[in-house]
Amino acid sequence: MKPALWRSLFPGIALTAFIASVGFMVAQLPLADKVGPLAAAILSAVLYRHFFGYPEKIHSGIQFSAKKLLRLAIILFGLKLNMNVIWNEGLPLLVRDLLVILFAIGLMMILARLFKADESLSMLLGIGTGVCGASAIAAVSPILKAKEEDTAISAGIISIVGTVFAIGYTIIRPWLPVDAEAYGMWVGLSLHEVAHVALAGAAAGDDGLGMALLGKLGRVFLLVPLSLVLIAIMRKSSKSQGDHTIAYPWFLVGFILMSLFGSYVNGNLVVIPTPVMEGVSFLTSFLLTMAMVGLGLNVSLRDLRQKAWKPMLLLLITSLLLSFLTYWIV
């Protein structure tokens, strides 16, 4: 990167890093620690925009975080997917995970049309609910050509709602007539993000947490085929409208390569120390948070009140019905 270009980008990148750091610090506070740094950072970005306005002079650096760092974070996120676990569990797990994804997306879109809610937000929330929360939303947004503010709003909403459900699962765990493994699988099939699954799955001990993460990994695995389906749909739609600008999201190739590296190379051909892997995991979370801050700076509180309350209500309905469905199938 040329020095002049770096100097023009640095202020915007620094601002997103600062607000992301604020989100991580806020997430250490009581109660806020249940919500997580991503939601806290997005809210901080929205409040910054509300009180100080959008910093147009450093727009290029903010966009760099929102787009380039977002793709890097998705690539690194591939390290969290252990393909060995998926292959060992086999087809039954993937069938259940696929059912969850289709149910979440389908129901959100049906409800959106019935209640005349914003369809872009509803689609993003359906994908986030079915796959892996804000990470899935971030991955498919470029494919769907979603507005930056819609991406930020949906990521913030799903982080908050998912946290509420995770806490609710933890509270009701002692009264559920299921063993730890069944509870864990229910958690993994129904909750929104990996962090939510870890929070709720821990209530059932190591066995329950292991099953919860297994159920979740299958849904993360299906992110790539889902993205390919969305690419085909968007390209077909673009051709019918005379628009041929749907580019292949090459960062998904990086996601797959990192998954293969983490699953088959690390620990076999090379051994990366645990502290290094933990550092990469933190870097992934921080980069994703910086990217969401960049998107969050585009969100107007006035627009949020006008367009987000219906999709949020529909997300609550979909999440509840998904919980009942997955509880029944485990």
Side-chain angles (χ1 to χ4, degrees):
M1 186 180 294
K2 295 180 180 179
L5 177 59
W6 169 246
R7 284 194 297 271
S8 68
L9 295 177
F10 179 76
I13 296 173
L15 177 64
T16 60
F18 173 74
I19 298 177
S21 300
V22 170
F24 271 81
M25 289 187 289
V26 170
Q28 302 299 314
L29 301 174
L31 297 180
D33 62 339
K34 303 298 183 184
V35 176
L38 190 144
I42 290 176
L43 179 59
S44 299
V46 173
L47 291 175
Y48 181 97
R49 159 77 181 264
H50 181 72
F51 290 108
F52 301 105
Y54 186 84
E56 292 288 352
K57 292 183 179 180
I58 56 175
H59 172 76
S60 59
I62 293 172
Q63 289 298 100
F64 182 88
S65 291
K67 295 182 177 179
K68 302 298 184 181
L69 294 186
L70 175 60
R71 286 158 174 75
L72 177 58
I74 296 299
I75 291 171
L76 293 176
F77 187 75
L79 284 173
K80 297 179 182 290
L81 175 61
N82 189 332
M83 290 189 175
N84 280 317
V85 176
I86 306 299
W87 301 136
N88 291 338
E89 186 63 19
L91 186 60
L93 172 65
L94 292 180
V95 169
R96 285 185 288 183
D97 286 326
L98 179 60
L99 176 63
V100 166
I101 294 172
L102 294 176
F103 178 84
I105 297 174
L107 182 58
M108 276 296 297
M109 295 312 297
I110 290 172
L111 292 175
R113 292 181 180 177
L114 285 175
F115 293 95
K116 296 181 175 153
D118 186 280
E119 291 196 5
S120 175
L121 273 177
S122 299
M123 171 62 82
L124 291 173
L125 289 171
I127 291 171
T129 301
V131 186
C132 53
S135 300
I137 290 171
V140 302
S141 290
I143 299 171
L144 298 177
K145 291 187 173 182
K147 296 178 181 177
E148 292 181 354
E149 64 176 12
D150 288 351
T151 303
I153 290 170
S154 54
I157 289 174
I158 208 161
S159 296
I160 293 170
V161 172
T163 300
V164 171
F165 270 75
I167 294 172
Y169 277 36
T170 302
I171 292 172
I172 67 173
R173 163 64 188 134
W175 290 276
L176 293 175
V178 294
D179 59 24
E181 288 80 5
Y183 168 81
M185 183 56 68
W186 177 50
V187 168
L189 289 175
S190 60
L191 286 182
H192 307 70
E193 298 189 16
V194 175
H196 301 148
V197 169
L199 173 62
D206 291 342
D207 291 340
L209 179 58
M211 290 301 290
L213 293 174
L214 174 62
K216 188 62 177 176
L217 282 177
R219 294 160 68 190
V220 176
F221 176 81
L222 292 174
L223 173 61
V224 172
L226 172 65
S227 298
L228 295 177
V229 171
L230 292 175
I231 291 169
I233 293 172
M234 291 298 291
R235 281 183 172 169
K236 184 176 179 180
S237 174
S238 296
K239 286 179 181 178
S240 66
Q241 299 172 14
D243 179 8
H244 304 280
T245 59
I246 303 297
Y248 186 84
W250 290 104
F251 62 89
L252 288 177
V253 176
F255 174 88
I256 296 172
L257 291 175
M258 292 303 285
S259 299
L260 292 172
F261 176 84
S263 302
Y264 303 114
V265 177
N266 185 33
N268 295 316
L269 300 179
V270 297
V271 178
I272 300 178
T274 299
V276 174
M277 292 300 293
E278 290 175 349
V280 172
S281 179
F282 175 80
L283 176 63
T284 303
S285 299
F286 193 78
L287 289 175
L288 181 60
T289 304
M290 284 179 63
M292 289 301 167
V293 166
L295 298 174
L297 287 170
N298 291 286
V299 177
S300 163
L301 280 178
R302 182 177 301 136
D303 294 340
L304 182 61
R305 288 195 300 268
Q306 291 176 346
K307 68 187 298 186
W309 73 269
K310 277 187 181 179
M312 185 170 185
L313 177 60
L314 301 185
L315 173 62
L316 288 168
I317 295 171
T318 300
S319 297
L320 280 171
L321 293 177
L322 180 62
S323 291
F324 287 119
L325 171 68
T326 50
Y327 186 82
W328 177 68
I329 65 175
V330 299

